[in-house]
Amino acid sequence: MERMKIRAVRTRIAPCLAWLAICSGPVSAAPAACPVLRASPTRADDPRFAPIDAAVRGGVGTLYPGAVLLVTHRGRIVHEAAFGHAQTLTTATDGTQRPLATPRAMRVDTPFDMASITKIEATTAAILHLVGTGRLSLDDRLGTLLRAFAGTDKADITIRQLLTHRAGLWEWQPTWLHRDPSGQPLAYLAALPLRYPVGARFAYSDLGFMLLGAVVERVTGVPLDRYVREQLYRPMGMTDTGFLPSPMVRPKAAATSQGDAYQRRMAETGKPYPAAPFPPAQPFAGYRTQMLVGEANDANAALGWHGVAGHAGLFSTATDLARYAQALLGGGCYGRWRLAPARTIAAFEQTPFDADQALGFHKTQLAGIAAPFYGHSGFTGTWFAFSPQLDMTVVLLTNRVHRPDGEAYPALDALRETVLREAVAALRDDRTKEKTWR
C-alpha cells in the first residue's frame, strides 16, 4: 500500500521490447560459488555508522516504537543494530489498549510483518525464478494463465504489466467482502471491472500482485507460501522467512496495529481508494480487534486470502531480507544456487514504462549519487534498498503502525533517504571505482 518516493520523477517513456529476449533462457547451475551473506568482524561501535544510528535512534518514540537497521557491503554485514521496542501496547480483556508493564525490546533478529515487501521478497522472487527456468514468460497473459480471467476485460494483461503496475487494475479493494462460497476472492477479481485502460498509466495496485501470487500457484501447482519456502528460501538459508508464522514465532514478532480498524474504515469510507461499484459487498463479521502480533496486518491478506497473498502477509528478518538482496547483487546467484540467470535479473531492473518502476522493484535515484538503488517499502514501516553498482544493501525495518488506534501513521521517506545517503557515505572508503560515487 505504501511506496517510497525520493526525488524520483515518474515519466512516461516508450516501451523498449528488445531487452525482453534476454529473459527466455533457462537457469544454469552456477559454475563456481557466488558470495553468500556473511557477518563482518567490524566493531559494533564503528564510527562510520554513528550518523545512521543517530538518525534511526532519533525516530524512536515519535516515528516508531522500535527499528532494526542493517547494512551490507561486498557480501558482508558491516553494520546491524536494534533500537527501541518491538511491542509497547497490548489489548486488555475489555478490548481497550493499554501499555505493556514491561515493553518488549527490539532485537536484530526480530521478525517483522513485511507488508508490501512481500511483493518483492516472495512474489517477484517467485516470478524471477519461473521466468529464469523458462516456465513463465513476461508476455504470458492472464486469460491463458488463470481460467477465471479468460474472456474478461483483463484477459490480455501481461505478467510484465502486472509487475510494473500498468495493468489498469484498481489500486485497492476489500477482497474479504467479496469471497466466493469456498472463501476465495479470485472470482471477484475476475468480475471486477478495470479502473483504467490496460497499459495506459501507472497505478500502484495491490490487486495486481494478488493475481501474480495466484499465477505462481497455477504455474507451479503448489501454494505460493510452499513454493517460496521450499524452492527459494531454503536454498538461501532464509529460515526466518515465511507466511503464517508458527505459534513459537508469533510472540517474537514486532507488533503492528490493534486489529483491522484502519482498513475497516478504508472499506466503509472509500478513502483513500473509492469502493468499486460492482460486484456488491457481502456482510462481514470477522474483523480482528486484538493487538496484532505475528498475524498479517493487511486485512486483504489476513481476511481475504487466509494469510497467504502475493501482495502482503510475509514475515521476515533484516538478515533474511539481506540474504535475498545478496542473491540479487550476485546476479541471481547465492553460493552454488541460482535464483535466475544474471540476464534475467538485469532485465527485471529495467524500467520499460516509468522511470522509477522496474519489474516489481521500485527504482530510486538520489541526487549526487550516480548509482541507482532498487527495493521496496511496506505499510507497516519496512523498507530496503540495494545497489548492484555499489554492491551494498540497506535494510530499515520499523513498527511505525504500532500506536494507539486513530493516531496518524508517520511518513518515513525523509528518514530513509537520510539512512541511504549516510550508508553510502560510510562506505566511501571501500570504493573501488571513483566514478561510482560522483
Side-chain angles (χ1 to χ4, degrees), residues 147-206:
R147 184 179 304 175
F149 288 79
T152 71
D153 57 352
K154 295 166 285 296
D156 289 333
I157 293 173
T158 66
I159 296 298
R160 184 185 306 105
Q161 288 169 327
L162 290 169
L163 286 167
T164 54
H165 301 280
R166 281 270 176 166
L169 302 174
W170 291 78
E171 294 87 346
W172 183 89
Q173 289 297 314
T175 60
W176 68 88
L177 301 180
H178 300 275
R179 296 175 298 174
D180 64 19
S182 69
Q184 300 300 319
L186 193 61
Y188 161 68
L189 295 181
L192 185 66
L194 287 170
R195 186 168 192 195
Y196 312 104
V198 175
R201 55 162 288 175
F202 176 95
Y204 181 81
S205 174
D206 279 2

Side-chain angles (χ1 to χ4, degrees), residues 2 63-64 381-382 396 398 400 410-417:
E2 178 187 342
L63 298 178
Y64 38 75
T382 54
L396 178 62
T398 79
R400 69 163 192 146
L412 302 181
D413 290 356
L415 174 65
R416 290 165 180 164
E417 179 172 356

Side-chain angles (χ1 to χ4, degrees), residues 26-357:
V27 171
S28 58
C34 298
V36 298
L37 189 65
R38 301 184 185 279
S40 172
T42 305
R43 297 187 352 246
D45 61 346
D46 190 330
R48 294 179 301 168
F49 300 101
I52 312 178
D53 286 352
V56 176
R57 188 179 295 108
V60 173
T62 54
L63 298 178
Y64 38 75
V68 175
L69 171 68
L70 185 146
V71 181
T72 79
H73 190 218
R74 297 176 184 166
R76 290 190 175 274
I77 298 173
V78 295
H79 185 65
E80 61 181 338
F83 307 86
H85 298 98
Q87 184 176 2
T88 60
L89 300 168
T90 190
T91 306
T93 54
D94 62 359
T96 60
Q97 284 185 354
R98 63 176 176 81
L100 281 176
T102 304
R104 181 160 52 92
M106 190 69 79
R107 296 165 46 101
V108 294
D109 61 352
T110 294
F112 279 79
D113 179 344
M114 304 307 285
S116 280
I117 289 181
T118 302
K119 296 179 173 75
I120 302 301
E121 196 178 2
T123 309
T124 298
I127 298 293
L128 264 168
H129 196 237
L130 293 173
V131 171
T133 53
R135 301 174 68 184
L136 188 67
S137 165
L138 293 172
D139 291 318
D140 284 345
R141 299 175 185 271
L142 272 184
T144 58
L145 292 167
L146 300 176
R147 184 179 304 175
F149 288 79
T152 71
D153 57 352
K154 295 166 285 296
D156 289 333
I157 293 173
T158 66
I159 296 298
R160 184 185 306 105
Q161 288 169 327
L162 290 169
L163 286 167
T164 54
H165 301 280
R166 281 270 176 166
L169 302 174
W170 291 78
E171 294 87 346
W172 183 89
Q173 289 297 314
T175 60
W176 68 88
L177 301 180
H178 300 275
R179 296 175 298 174
D180 64 19
S182 69
Q184 300 300 319
L186 193 61
Y188 161 68
L189 295 181
L192 185 66
L194 287 170
R195 186 168 192 195
Y196 312 104
V198 175
R201 55 162 288 175
F202 176 95
Y204 181 81
S205 174
D206 279 2
L207 275 57
F209 274 77
M210 295 178 196
L211 297 181
L212 286 169
V215 166
V216 172
E217 181 170 347
R218 170 67 180 81
V219 172
T220 65
V222 297
L224 174 66
D225 59 331
R226 178 180 165 189
Y227 185 76
V228 295
R229 181 179 68 250
E230 296 178 356
Q231 300 300 318
L232 308 184
Y233 301 154
R234 189 172 295 165
M236 288 187 282
M238 296 171 60
T239 56
D240 295 321
T241 299
F243 294 89
L244 300 171
S246 71
M248 291 184 62
V249 173
R250 285 177 207 152
K252 302 176 183 178
T256 58
S257 64
Q258 181 165 342
D260 302 304
Y262 182 90
Q263 289 164 85
R264 181 177 183 176
R265 288 193 293 269
M266 288 177 63
E268 292 174 348
T269 65
K271 297 178 181 179
Y273 305 112
F278 176 84
Q282 305 162 358
F284 186 82
Y287 288 109
R288 300 168 294 176
T289 58
Q290 77 279 9
M291 186 64 61
L292 299 179
V293 181
E295 296 182 51
N297 178 268
D298 186 276
N300 271 319
L303 308 179
W305 292 88
H306 310 288
V308 180
H311 74 291
L314 188 73
F315 283 76
S316 189
T317 62
T319 301
D320 270 7
L321 180 55
R323 287 191 174 101
Y324 171 54
Q326 182 60 45
L328 298 168
L329 291 172
C333 178
Y334 194 84
R336 296 187 180 275
W337 176 82
R338 271 207 175 273
L339 172 65
R343 59 184 179 274
T344 306
I345 301 294
F348 272 62
E349 292 169 356
Q350 302 301 310
T351 54
F353 306 116
D354 300 279
D356 59 352
Q357 181 62 57

